[in-house]
Structures are given as structure tokens and as C-alpha cells.
Amino acid sequence: MITFEGAAKIYPDGTVAVAHLDLTVESGRTTVLVGPSGSGKTTSLRMINRMVEPTHGTIRVDGHDIRAQDPARLRRSIGYVIQQAGLFPHRTILDNIATVPLLLGWRRRRARARAAELMELVGLESAQAKRYPHQLSGGQQQRVGVARALAADPPILLMDEPFSAVDPVVRTSLQDELLRLQRELRKTIVFVTHDIDEAVRLGDRIAVFRPGGELAQYDTPERLLAEPVDEFVESFVGYDRGVRRLSFFPARGLSLRQDMVFEAQDRVERAREAVVAGEDPWVLVVNERRAPLGWVSARQLTEQPSGLTLGSLDKAPFGHTFDVATDSLRAALDAAVLSPAGRAVGVDADGRVLGVVSQEDLGGAIWSVTE
Ligand SMILES: Nc1ncnc2c1ncn2[C@@H]1O[C@H](COP(=O)(O)OP(=O)(O)OP(=O)(O)O)[C@@H](O)[C@H]1O
Ligand SMILES: [Mg+2]
């Protein structure tokens, strides 16, 4: 556990980097510091490993005042990852990762073996061990940065905008990797970003800073989106927070209609009867393995001669599906909004259609969880 007790950093020129911070960072969890530029995120983070000394207040790690600890030793016991990785350009990837173990006096062989193990853990190919940082992509360099920070197995990991310099696709995959790593390693992670979506994705708890280095709100992502404490936080989390909050509710409880799902070899008249009985203007056509093929509208069905199979008709694309077991209401809503039929297709882990959900049913489900 890391505690800030009235911690502040005021520079000699009068700049208030951090005004007065009371904050408890739980062990084994990811705490995200988020806020606009200049709001004191980096300063707060660096006070933890004494790269910045607070001018007021106390910071404790597991109850121990960090002022009582040797800064160099403290720093070696805390992993630190920054934007653009900050790798040593003239050292190989393997030696970059082995840096801290070597500083701690490990034998070269052991340090390198540990580095090789970490390369695998963060998803790097062993063939890259002998390369130099400039021979890697930005995303790969960030992975090296994470591996290097983890090398001596520190209980605490500080990450300052580690994924900000890579493109959105790589960024998402790095976030996924971090979530996977954290499920395994359970480090105490303090992660700085100015991207609220990244904060919501990664954080167990989120601290929102406002200009002037003040803590505006400290909450779970769900509560932050549901109940921003004031207008600043509300505008910072974004006015679409209602929709984004749906990502915390599972799609599992949605009622899925199966009477509107037909196979390609089924005949037009069967689907027509279902459309009349079910009062639904769309049917979904699936193949023999129940993979979706596309939508057919009621109007289209009435225009077709009987006897034809659904497989022979033109179909509107089914868009993207949602996984009933693992996705959220947000994913289901997104699937419905993007579908030409206005309906979402729910599938199992193998992509087999379990049923379709209409916007009305989705609306009802959303209403009942968020009211
Ligand atoms: N050495 C310094 N002397 C004076 N002011 C400083 C110094 N270092 C930082 N500051 C100021 O402290 C404030 C907080 O800076 P900090 O780097 O913590 O912000 P940040 O939230 O990390 O911003 P960003 O999102 O841009 O990284 C800023 O106004 C900055 O200009
Ligand atoms: Mg910063």
C-alpha cells in the first residue's frame, strides 16, 4: 500500500505542481492518475520513488516513510516505465532488460536468463534479444520497457504514459497485455495517462487531477462514470459517459430471440410466417454451423416467390456480433446501432449465433441496470 498524506510539491518559483494530496494506493491493484496536462500526475508519480522530493507531507510504502530509505535502493525496488521506453540505445534488448538485476549484483548468466524469461512474458520474440532498441518498433520498445521494469520482480510498478507514443491499435494490444500480466503478477501499479478511456480500461481505481495539482475525484471507474463529483470531472470523463458506463454491465442477461433466426436452406414462406407471428421486420440467416450470413427484411420476403431458400436471397450485412458470455451491454448496443437491421447478433465463443436482440429489448435492459 502506498499512502500520500498531505503530500505537496511547490517549486521555488512558486509553481504548485501538487497542491495537497491525500491518497491511498491499494496493493496488488492498478491505480490510474489521470488529468489534463500540467495537473501534477508525473510529479505525484515521481514522488513515490523519490525522483521528486515533496515539499510538504509524507509518503509511505507499506507504512514506512520513504524519507527513511536510501533513494537509490528505493528506486531499484520500484519498477519505472516511461513514454518511449527510455531504453539504452547502445545496449542490446537483453542487456537493457537485465539492467536492474545486474545493478543488484546478480551474475550475468542469471540476469540474462531472467531477461529472456521476461521477453517471453511480455510477448517479445527471442530472436529480438540481440537487437538494439532502434531496430524495434515503438510498440516492441514499450514491451522492452515493461520487461525491464519487471526484471527484478519489484512489488511496485510506476508507469508514466507508457503507451502514449504508439498508434491506437498497438496501444490497445499493449493495454490487453498489461491486463493479462497484471492478472498473473498482481503488482501494485500506478499508471499515469491523460486518456480517460485508457484509465477506465486499466484502472481498478482512478484519481482525477485538476489544474493546480488538486485531486478532484478518487473512485472506481464505474462510479467515476456514474457520479462525477463536479462539472470539471464530468467534462473530463466526457459527455458520453452514460454509454461508456454500459461496459461495466454484462450482456449475459439479455433476452435473445431465436424465432427470428433461420438457416440458409429454410424456405422463404417459413420465414414469412415467423415475421407475421413474431411481429418483427427482420430475420437473420445463418449457415449450417450457425455462423451468421446476413439479414433479410420482411418486405423482401413478401416480394419473393415461395419455394425459394433464404440462402439464395440478397442479404444485408450482419455487421459485428457480440459474445453473449463475455461482452458487455456496451458491445451489444454498439452491434445493434451499427447493424442495418437495428438488431444485435449474439454469438458464443465459437461464433455460433445464440439469438438476436432488438433495440427495444436492449433499451429495456439498459434502463433496468442504470436507473
Ligand atoms: N522543475 C520544475 N520547476 C517548476 N515547475 C515545474 C517543474 N517541474 C514541473 N513543474 C510544473 O509542475 C506542474 C505539474 O507538472 P507535471 O509534470 O506533474 O504535470 P503532468 O500532469 O504530468 O502533465 P503532462 O500531462 O503534461 O505530463 C506543471 O505546471 C509543471 O510546469
Ligand atoms: Mg506528465
Side-chain angles (χ1 to χ4, degrees):
M1 194 163 79
I2 305 167
T3 51
F4 293 80
E5 299 163 18
K9 179 67 180 180
I10 300 170
Y11 282 101
D13 67 358
T15 305
V16 179
V18 175
H20 178 100
L21 185 59
D22 289 315
L23 186 75
T24 299
V25 170
E26 283 172 63
S27 297
R29 296 299 179 93
T30 302
T31 299
V32 178
L33 314 184
V34 69
S37 191
S39 59
K41 307 179 298 291
T42 295
T43 307
S44 301
L45 190 78
R46 289 171 150 225
M47 288 197 292
I48 298 171
N49 66 2
R50 295 190 64 183
M51 289 174 81
V52 172
E53 297 287 354
T55 46
H56 305 78
T58 303
I59 298 168
R60 295 177 203 278
V61 173
D62 294 330
H64 304 293
D65 188 337
I66 58 172
R67 272 173 303 203
Q69 298 171 49
D70 171 54
R73 271 189 68 183
L74 181 74
R75 242 163 265 155
R76 281 197 295 265
S77 71
I78 295 178
Y80 186 48
V81 189
I82 55 172
Q83 205 184 94
Q84 318 224 271
L87 303 177
F88 301 115
H90 305 300
R91 286 192 199 160
T92 63
I93 298 310
L94 200 72
D95 286 342
N96 261 284
I97 298 172
T99 302
V100 176
L102 289 173
L103 279 175
L104 290 172
W106 293 23
R107 285 175 185 278
R108 191 160 288 273
R109 257 181 82 173
R110 182 175 163 224
R112 288 197 165 158
R114 170 69 177 155
E117 185 186 304
L118 277 155
M119 285 188 68
E120 198 183 329
L121 185 73
V122 301
L124 290 164
E125 308 262 332
S126 55
Q128 288 159 341
K130 291 209 165 72
R131 292 204 198 161
Y132 289 88
H134 75 274
Q135 296 170 311
L136 263 52
S137 72
Q140 289 165 343
Q141 289 182 32
Q142 286 309 131
R143 287 170 195 264
V144 177
V146 173
R148 186 176 62 175
L150 289 170
D153 203 19
I156 299 173
L157 199 56
L158 308 180
M159 308 181 83
D160 195 350
E161 306 212 29
F163 308 149
S164 302
V166 294
D167 70 65
V169 176
V170 173
R171 188 173 187 158
T172 305
S173 77
L174 289 170
Q175 290 168 352
D176 286 339
E177 284 292 311
L178 184 66
L179 287 168
R180 183 184 61 76
L181 272 178
Q182 175 64 339
R183 273 195 296 274
E184 219 172 282
L185 302 176
R186 293 268 160 224
K187 299 287 179 191
T188 304
I189 299 179
V190 187
F191 189 106
V192 168
T193 178
H194 48 239
D195 177 353
I196 185 70
D197 285 319
E198 185 165 73
V200 167
R201 220 160 156 233
L202 299 179
D204 295 305
R205 290 279 213 119
I206 300 176
V208 183
F209 285 70
R210 70 169 99 243
E214 284 175 25
L215 180 63
Q217 185 165 357
Y218 186 41
D219 250 319
T220 60
E222 194 196 328
R223 282 184 49 88
L224 190 69
L225 293 174
E227 293 170 53
V229 291
D230 60 20
E231 258 172 47
F232 168 76
V233 178
E234 175 157 33
S235 71
F236 190 79
V237 299
Y239 289 107
D240 57 346
R241 65 186 167 86
V243 174
R244 290 197 277 129
R245 191 172 159 245
L246 294 177
S247 59
F248 295 101
F249 301 101
R252 218 176 300 121
L254 287 169
S255 57
L256 297 162
R257 291 188 71 161
Q258 277 144 11
D259 56 333
M260 291 295 137
V261 181
F262 289 87
E263 289 196 12
Q265 76 263 21
D266 287 332
R267 287 174 190 283
V268 163
E269 58 267 31
R270 265 200 63 199
R272 218 156 30 207
E273 283 160 23
V275 159
V276 173
E279 292 179 2
D280 198 310
W282 291 92
V283 299
L284 181 75
V285 184
V286 299
N287 70 13
E288 68 286 355
R289 290 186 304 279
R290 297 204 62 83
L293 296 174
W295 295 100
V296 172
S297 69
R299 161 146 4 140
Q300 215 180 335
L301 288 170
T302 55
E303 287 166 357
Q304 298 300 330
S306 302
L308 277 184
T309 61
L310 292 169
S312 66
L313 306 183
D314 286 338
K315 289 171 269 307
F318 61 88
H320 73 91
T321 58
F322 70 96
D323 187 318
V324 175
T326 59
D327 273 332
S328 67
L329 281 183
R330 186 180 175 186
L333 179 64
D334 197 59
V337 169
L338 290 176
S339 157
R343 282 147 178 71
V345 179
V347 297
D348 66 13
D350 298 320
R352 282 188 296 252
V353 171
L354 296 174
V356 300
V357 52
S358 69
Q359 281 183 2
E360 296 77 53
D361 285 346
L362 253 171
I366 289 167
W367 181 251
S368 68
V369 296
T370 56
E371 71 176 345

